[in-house]
Amino acid sequence: MTRYETLTLLTCASRLAQTFSHRTRPVNELSEWLERHPLGFEWNPETEGFRSQQISRRDWADLQDKLAREIAKLRKARPDAMARNCTDLARYLGLNRVEADIFMLSARAAQGGPLAALIDNLVDDARLPVDQAIACLTAHPATTIRKAMGARGKLMTSGLISNEAGRRNNYGLSPNTRLARALEPPTRGLQDILHGIFATPDAPDTTWQDFDHLGEARDFAARLLKGGLARKAAGVNILLYGPPGTGKTEFCKVIAAYLGAQLFAVGETDDDGDEPSRTERQMQLRLGQRLLAGRRDALVLFDEMEDLLEEPNLGFLFGINRRGGSKVHLHRLLETNPVPTLWTTNSIERMDPALLRRVTFSLELRQPPQHVRARIWARLSDKHRMKLDAGTQAQLARESADAPALADTALHATKLAGGRKDDLHLTLRASAKAVRGGREPAPVAHAEARFDPRLTHADIDLEAILNRLSAKDAPRAVSLCLSGPPGTGKSAFARHLAEAMGLPVIQKRSSDLMGMYVGQTEARIAHAFAQARQEGAFLIFDEADSLLSNREGAQRSWEVSQVNEMLTWMENHPQPFACTTNMADRLDPAALRRFSFRAVFLPLTAPQRAAAFQQFFGQEPSRDLQALDLLTPGDFAVVAKRARLLDIRKPSDLLAELAREQAAKPGARAPVGFRNA
């Protein structure tokens, strides 16, 4: 205990002794407290009466004299480090004398020890009203104390103290013990205090270029924050939303580094380093806004914004001690907060539109595209000193569409387990399954085989389309309807065209887009088009007949609305996209009119079937192959795989397997001359 702290305790005790007579209950509590916490002199008074435990008038007068003498000895004690820090902070926040004294008392009490025990005794045992106890200890009128500790006072609205039922409390209020600890030695100066209160995120693991897929939205967010910092503008809020693990917090770290700003994370832990309550998070947010106001290099990060929205009593956020709170005050915070704030949330579906309208800018974080994932895998493998060759990195980027956070975790776990590549795949799949609520991640969509123009048969010149659309001056707002039997190479051609145009691919199956709730499918369709537009990607819809079915046969309203949603986006989409279908006759006529090109993919011609047999099996086919006039490249790929599994090598046996594939097709004629397989 410093000399100044001892002086503070003696002063509080003296004020109590001068306020109450020796027959009152607060005096009894003070007397017992002095016996347990001697302040430089012995105190063992005689009591009068067994029940009342009252001290005598003589002893009470003697106590006042002793307190006065001890105070005189320490009167010239210099303020200790904590007192100086409290004074500096109070001056910085513009607290008046009463508010500063209450804050100083709060900070000291938050340390525990004799002062905390004295306040607890007065409030809990002596039954003194809170404002009266504080008035006695600070020598300010109770009415002034009540006003200073009110809901609209600086102490509450700045987050220096908060009234929260159920917490460990001194004098009925919960002082900000996290701040109190930041004020303790060896802290010196405001900058040290800030780092003691707020978490400073680690350096980012990604770069500015790793978020290129966010396009112009990323660049606008940077310009917005830069302007807000330069002009000290109030009410600048950016909301980052997206599924867990998409890099929302990582992007906050990256954009702060890009702007040369300091990022302060608020509300990540409570005062003891444990999980914070919503009230504690609110309290730290208010404090951060007050302490960082006016700086041109500070950004506030508030992760998991939904914590505030689900709080049953939002009033604490703004110093309104009222059950149920008020959305108006949350709206005012977004309109007036002095420090640009980055908010993150996993979903905005349940957010009040009135709240979203007050967010300055909203930015959706999605899974990074494959080329970005490959770059991140390369960098993370270096970070964890895991030797992954370029082929493995490319495979992981292609097969794992999950966020960098999962890749980082999987590499860390694999390194600890010995560094086996099989363990890396195992860990990655387990993490991906966990974040999906126990569901296995769907395999990444891809064509069964690469596009081979020699084995593709269509009713239009595909080579001419490739040459035109891959030219430098080619238009981008083009659309293709690719129809035909399964395995004819529709998806392979679409992906090949995207590669020729130098564009990444976003491929969506109907199962990726169909939702069980009303409006969910439409929202996913809109999201797919928006993602492709923002990333500059080639969008492929497989099984498009499920999304563009003829509305004349619709029996439910959602069957019509999802087609309308598709048509609306198709009409105005600035990037190339393709729809593949096995059943073009089911498409809505309005959809067919919106495609720039319509190509029907047909079974292989006789020369193509012979070339496919030679390519897949390395043998010359018999003439009987010409009778199988419905075969596609996909059929040859399936039989080639089966042949490897069953060690089928004879041309006749291979031909029989191809005949089986043809026989399974709708409307196929029974082949003549083939044995039953």
Side-chain angles (χ1 to χ4, degrees):
M1 188 182 300
T2 66
R3 286 169 54 83
Y4 188 81
E5 187 175 359
T6 302
L7 176 61
T8 299
L9 294 172
L10 288 167
T11 303
C12 288
S14 178
R15 288 168 177 168
L16 284 171
Q18 295 173 21
T19 302
F20 298 99
S21 72
H22 66 290
R23 294 182 178 274
T24 58
R25 192 164 183 174
V27 167
N28 293 337
E29 296 300 329
L30 174 61
S31 178
E32 293 180 4
W33 176 78
L34 285 169
E35 291 184 56
R36 295 193 302 270
H37 304 91
L39 299 177
F41 60 91
E42 293 294 329
W43 176 245
N44 294 297
E46 296 181 1
T47 57
E48 298 178 351
F50 176 76
R51 290 186 177 181
S52 64
Q53 294 293 307
Q54 295 174 347
I55 65 174
S56 67
R57 186 185 299 276
R58 183 187 62 188
D59 284 342
W60 189 240
D62 181 49
L63 173 60
Q64 295 186 49
D65 291 340
K66 288 182 177 181
L67 289 171
R69 288 195 298 270
E70 294 299 322
I71 290 174
K73 293 178 184 178
L74 299 174
R75 193 172 298 280
K76 294 184 179 181
R78 298 181 60 184
D80 56 15
M82 186 171 191
R84 294 193 298 271
N85 287 334
C86 287
T87 300
D88 290 344
L89 188 58
R91 186 181 300 115
Y92 175 79
L93 293 174
L95 302 183
N96 60 33
R97 176 63 183 277
V98 176
E99 292 164 341
D101 286 348
I102 296 174
F103 172 53
M104 182 82 75
L105 194 71
S106 168
R108 294 280 187 191
Q111 294 179 299
L115 183 57
L118 175 60
I119 297 173
D120 282 340
N121 289 351
L122 293 176
V123 175
D124 295 338
D125 298 329
R127 300 291 190 269
L128 278 184
V130 174
D131 54 348
Q132 186 178 354
I134 303 303
C136 293
L137 297 174
T138 60
H140 294 297
T143 54
T144 306
I145 295 296
R146 281 195 295 270
K147 181 179 179 181
M149 295 185 353
R152 299 184 183 277
K154 286 184 180 179
L155 294 173
M156 285 286 189
T157 57
S158 65
L160 292 173
I161 60 176
S162 176
N163 193 355
E164 182 183 5
R167 290 190 65 199
R168 180 181 68 253
N169 63 74
N170 301 302
Y171 57 83
L173 291 174
S174 295
N176 191 319
T177 51
R178 187 184 185 93
L179 171 59
R181 291 171 185 170
L183 294 169
E184 297 174 2
T187 302
R188 295 184 63 182
L190 187 61
Q191 191 66 18
D192 279 359
I193 295 172
L194 293 178
H195 285 289
I197 298 171
F198 309 118
T200 304
D202 297 332
D205 290 323
T206 53
T207 66
W208 185 247
Q209 290 71 31
D210 290 336
F211 293 93
D212 284 345
H213 60 285
L214 300 181
E216 59 185 9
R218 177 201 64 173
D219 299 333
F220 175 78
R223 295 196 304 272
L224 173 62
L225 290 173
K226 183 178 180 180
L229 289 171
R231 296 174 176 81
K232 297 183 180 180
V236 177
N237 297 277
I238 293 182
L239 176 61
L240 307 170
Y241 64 95
T246 47
K248 298 182 289 296
T249 303
E250 186 70 11
F251 178 73
C252 292
K253 295 190 289 186
V254 166
I255 199 171
Y258 179 77
L259 295 173
Q262 194 166 2
L263 187 65
F264 294 92
V266 301
E268 295 198 342
T269 61
D270 68 1
D271 301 327
D272 298 316
D274 298 324
E275 179 183 1
S277 68
R278 292 188 178 97
T279 299
E280 288 168 326
R281 300 200 73 200
Q282 296 158 5
M283 190 174 176
Q284 290 185 37
L285 174 61
R286 298 201 312 268
L287 183 59
Q289 292 291 344
R290 286 298 300 270
L291 290 177
L292 301 172
R295 291 182 52 161
R296 285 192 169 95
D297 65 342
L299 298 174
V300 168
L301 167 62
F302 194 96
D303 262 328
E304 310 295 345
M305 186 184 188
E306 55 266 28
D307 276 0
L308 296 187
L309 305 179
E310 296 173 2
E311 170 61 73
N313 190 351
L314 286 177
F316 286 137
L317 179 56
F318 312 100
I320 308 300
N321 187 8
R322 180 175 61 201
R323 184 173 180 81
S326 171
K327 291 191 296 184
V328 173
H329 294 281
L330 181 54
H331 296 166
R332 294 294 175 267
L333 175 66
L334 293 171
E335 295 168 353
T336 62
N337 58 302
V339 184
T341 303
L342 297 164
W343 308 80
T344 75
T345 184
N346 294 332
S347 174
I348 59 172
E349 292 182 359
R350 297 184 180 180
M351 283 193 176
D352 188 346
L355 173 66
L356 295 175
R357 286 197 299 270
R358 287 169 169 82
V359 172
T360 316
F361 184 60
S362 298
L363 178 59
E364 181 183 14
L365 271 290
R366 300 179 303 275
Q367 307 291 4
Q370 181 176 328
H371 69 281
V372 173
R373 297 198 301 269
R375 191 164 62 230
I376 293 173
W377 272 108
R379 188 164 54 251
L380 289 177
S381 62
D382 290 340
K383 171 187 172 182
H384 293 281
R385 298 181 181 179
M386 284 277 295
K387 293 182 179 180
L388 299 177
D389 57 74
T392 301
Q393 293 172 4
Q395 178 188 1
L396 289 167
R398 182 175 60 254
E399 296 179 353
S400 173
D402 293 295
L406 291 187
D408 193 26
T409 301
L411 282 166
H412 177 64
T414 304
K415 183 70 174 181
L416 292 176
R420 293 172 49 187
K421 292 182 180 179
D422 290 345
D423 291 339
L424 176 58
H425 290 281
L426 173 65
T427 307
L428 194 60
R429 287 196 304 271
S431 298
K433 181 178 179 180
V435 299
R436 289 170 174 80
R439 293 181 291 106
E440 291 281 355
V444 178
H446 64 278
E448 293 179 357
R450 289 189 59 82
F451 174 73
D452 187 343
R454 298 171 303 168
L455 301 182
T456 304
H457 181 204
D459 65 345
I460 64 172
D461 189 348
L462 298 179
E463 194 68 27
I465 294 176
L466 276 169
N467 292 335
R468 178 66 188 102
L469 295 184
S470 60
K472 291 183 178 180
D473 61 343
R476 280 292 188 257
V478 295
S479 55
L480 301 94
C481 176
L482 310 177
S483 61
T488 48
K490 302 181 294 296
S491 295
F493 172 73
R495 298 184 72 89
H496 181 73
L497 176 59
E499 183 178 344
M501 297 175 72
L503 299 176
V505 172
I506 296 176
Q507 192 160 351
K508 298 291 184 181
R509 296 159 292 199
S510 61
S511 59
D512 297 327
L513 301 173
M514 303 295 283
M516 61 185 298
Y517 301 110
V518 175
Q520 194 172 38
T521 301
E522 290 86 336
R524 292 176 178 176
I525 291 171
H527 181 275
F529 276 104
Q531 179 183 355
R533 183 181 67 248
Q534 197 166 38
E535 296 181 12
F538 192 114
L539 181 59
I540 301 175
F541 289 104
D542 281 332
E543 308 161 13
D545 47 278
S546 300
L547 303 170
L548 290 170
S549 57
N550 196 326
R551 287 169 291 181
E552 292 183 0
Q555 298 179 355
R556 302 173 183 85
S557 60
W558 56 264
E559 294 177 305
V560 175
S561 63
Q562 73 181 32
V563 175
N564 291 340
E565 186 74 23
M566 282 286 295
L567 294 176
T568 299
W569 282 96
M570 290 169 63
E571 188 73 30
N572 301 286
H573 189 56
Q575 291 293 120
F577 71 94
C579 292
T580 71
T581 177
N582 301 332
M583 295 171 282
D585 57 321
R586 295 187 181 182
L587 296 182
D588 193 279
L592 292 173
R593 292 194 298 269
R594 281 172 167 79
F595 289 109
S596 307
F597 301 97
R598 295 197 297 270
V600 178
F601 284 65
L602 304 168
L604 297 172
T605 63
Q608 286 177 323
R609 293 195 293 275
F613 198 95
Q614 176 67 41
Q615 178 173 317
F616 280 93
F617 307 123
Q619 304 181 53
E620 291 293 332
S622 68
R623 293 182 179 180
D624 292 335
L625 178 62
Q626 305 309 317
L628 303 179
D629 56 354
L630 298 180
L631 292 179
T632 69
D635 297 327
F636 279 90
V638 168
V639 171
K641 182 178 180 180
R642 187 185 306 151
R644 288 193 298 271
L645 293 173
L646 301 178
D647 196 25
I648 300 175
R649 301 182 183 183
K650 291 183 179 180
S652 58
D653 292 339
L654 293 171
L655 202 60
E657 293 299 325
L658 289 171
R660 179 187 303 205
E661 294 302 314
Q662 168 141 329
K665 297 178 182 292
R669 302 184 306 273
V672 179
F674 291 95
R675 64 179 175 85
N676 292 328

